Amino acid sequence: MQRKTLGTTGFDIAPIVFGGNVLGWTTDEAESFRVLDAFVDHGFDTIDTADVYSAWVEGHVGGESETVLGKWFAARPGMRDKVKLFTKVGSDMGGPGEKGLSEAWITRAVDKSLERLQTESIDLYFSHWPDPDTSHSETLGAYDKLLKAGKIRAIGASNYDAALLGAALETADQQGLPAYQVIQPEYNLFDRGAFEGPLQDLCVEKNIGVVTYFSLAAGFLTGKYRSEADLEGRQRAGMVSKYMTERGMALLDTLEDIASAHGAKPAEVSLAWLIAQKGVTAPIASATSVSQVESFAKAAALSLSQEDLSRLSGV
C-alpha cells in the first residue's frame, strides 16, 4: 500500500482515513471494535473523529465517537501507538461557551477530548469550523501552548476556504505562531467546488496536507441509492436526497461502467478517483462493517487510467 506524506506534519499515512462519525451512532460499540480492528489489520493507520460526534442523534450529547475510540484503545494495548489520531474542536457542544475557537474553550475542550480518548496526545487537532468572533492570532496562540505542552502534535483546519486559510497562514508567519498544516474540505466526485480552484492551488503551493470528508457523498457514490424509495428508513436520507439529480444519476452510470471494467465497486472507484487528485493526501471514509473495510483496501490498490479519471471528472 502506497503511503502518503501528510503536508509538513512529518506523518506518513495510508491513503484512506477512517471516518469516526459512525462510531457510537450507526455502529454500536462491539461492531465498532470489529471494524476498527479490521481497518488496522488491512494496513490502514489513521482515524478521524471530532468532539461533537454524534450530538445530532436524539439522546446523544457529543463525545460518543471519542468515547468508543478511547475504550478501543484501552482494550487493545499498544494500539494507540499504531495509529494517527485526528479530532476536532469548534462545533457547538451545547453548554455555555462550549463552541468556537477561543483560547478559553480550546483549552477546556482538548482536555475533555483527551479524557474521552484515553490518550495523552492527539496527533492532529483541527479547527472544525471557522469562528468569525475569534482572531486567528488567539486560536493559533492557544494551539501553540498545546503543542508545547505535548497535548497535540500538529494542527489543521476544516471547512476553511482559500481566503480564510491564507489569512491564517499569514497571521502565523507574521506573529511567529504555528501554522495550519492540513486542511479538511468537503470533496467528492459530486461536490467539487469547495476544494477545486483557489484552495487546491494554495494547498499545493504551501504543501498543506489534504484529507477530504464526505468522500462518498454520504453514501450516494456507493451506488446503493437510485431512487427515493431506496432512501426510506435510512438514517442518512436527508443528506443523500440532494444528490438525486440528473447529474447524480449520470455520475452513478459512469461509476458503475468503470467499476465493472475493473471488477470493482462504485465506492472503490470513487475513492480511487479522490486519491488520484492533485493535492489530496487521503480521503476520509466511514465503514460500518468489516466488508466495507475490505473494500477500502481494494480502493487503495485500484489504479485508474487517465481515461477513467477524465471520464469521471467530465461528468
Side-chain angles (χ1 to χ4, degrees):
M1 186 181 295
Q2 184 176 2
R3 301 180 66 79
K4 297 282 200 77
T5 300
L6 184 61
T8 60
T9 63
F11 304 150
D12 287 330
I13 65 172
I16 294 177
V17 175
F18 186 91
N21 60 316
V22 296
L23 304 175
W25 171 32
T26 56
T27 311
D28 64 22
E29 184 176 307
E31 185 63 18
S32 293
F33 281 24
R34 285 190 285 271
V35 171
L36 290 166
D37 288 343
F39 185 73
V40 174
D41 288 345
H42 278 81
F44 297 105
D45 62 353
T46 310
I47 300 170
D48 174 84
T49 186
D51 56 2
V52 75
Y53 299 163
S54 47
W56 57 85
V57 180
E58 186 175 354
H60 287 203
V61 296
E64 287 80 12
S65 174
E66 290 183 333
T67 298
V68 169
L69 278 168
K71 291 180 178 179
W72 180 63
F73 289 136
R76 307 285 189 272
M79 184 63 77
R80 177 64 188 90
D81 296 329
K82 295 180 180 180
V83 303
K84 299 296 186 294
L85 178 62
F86 303 169
T87 194
K88 311 181 194 73
V89 61
S91 290
D92 191 346
M93 295 294 287
E98 293 186 339
K99 66 176 181 178
L101 300 174
S102 68
E103 179 175 0
W105 174 232
I106 287 173
T107 302
R108 291 169 54 208
V110 72
D111 286 338
K112 290 175 181 285
S113 286
L114 289 168
E115 182 177 0
R116 287 188 292 261
L117 290 163
Q118 300 191 46
T119 188
E120 295 180 354
S121 181
I122 293 159
D123 295 304
L124 177 54
Y125 203 38
F126 281 96
S127 296
H128 202 164
W129 296 96
D131 178 1
D133 297 323
T134 304
S135 68
H136 295 305
S137 178
E138 179 177 347
T139 299
L140 297 176
Y143 290 148
D144 188 35
K145 293 176 183 177
L146 297 184
L147 288 161
K148 290 174 178 174
K151 292 185 178 182
I152 63 176
R153 298 176 60 198
I155 59 172
S158 180
N159 299 296
Y160 278 43
D161 62 16
L164 197 60
L165 178 60
L169 295 175
E170 184 177 0
T171 296
D173 182 58
Q174 291 177 347
Q175 300 186 23
L177 293 169
Y180 289 127
Q181 298 156 284
V182 183
I183 190 77
Q184 188 172 140
E186 179 178 2
Y187 187 45
N188 56 59
L189 265 167
F190 190 101
D191 298 300
R192 293 165 55 183
F195 178 63
E196 292 182 1
L199 181 58
Q200 185 177 34
D201 294 342
L202 179 61
C203 290
V204 171
E205 177 190 350
K206 300 293 186 181
N207 192 21
I208 304 292
V210 178
V211 289
T212 64
Y213 78 88
F214 267 22
S215 303
L216 293 174
F220 175 73
L221 295 174
T222 64
K224 62 185 178 183
Y225 304 115
R226 277 285 191 168
S227 68
E228 294 296 332
D230 294 332
L231 299 177
E232 290 181 10
R234 299 281 187 167
Q235 289 175 303
R236 293 192 172 195
M239 294 187 235
V240 176
S241 59
K242 72 172 184 176
Y243 301 110
M244 310 291 281
T245 64
E246 183 178 350
R247 174 171 163 252
M249 294 304 109
L251 184 51
L252 289 187
D253 289 341
T254 305
L255 269 174
E256 289 175 356
D257 186 41
I258 292 173
S260 177
H262 285 275
K265 297 177 181 177
E268 294 160 8
V269 174
S270 297
L271 292 174
W273 179 87
L274 275 172
I275 292 169
Q277 297 309 297
K278 182 178 70 171
V280 172
T281 310
I284 299 169
S286 300
T288 57
S289 68
V290 171
S291 64
Q292 290 174 350
V293 172
E294 293 168 350
S295 190
F296 290 172
K298 294 176 182 177
L302 182 59
S303 180
L304 298 177
S305 68
Q306 191 57 53
E307 181 183 356
D308 293 333
L309 295 170
S310 297
R311 282 184 64 196
L312 289 165
S313 298
V315 179

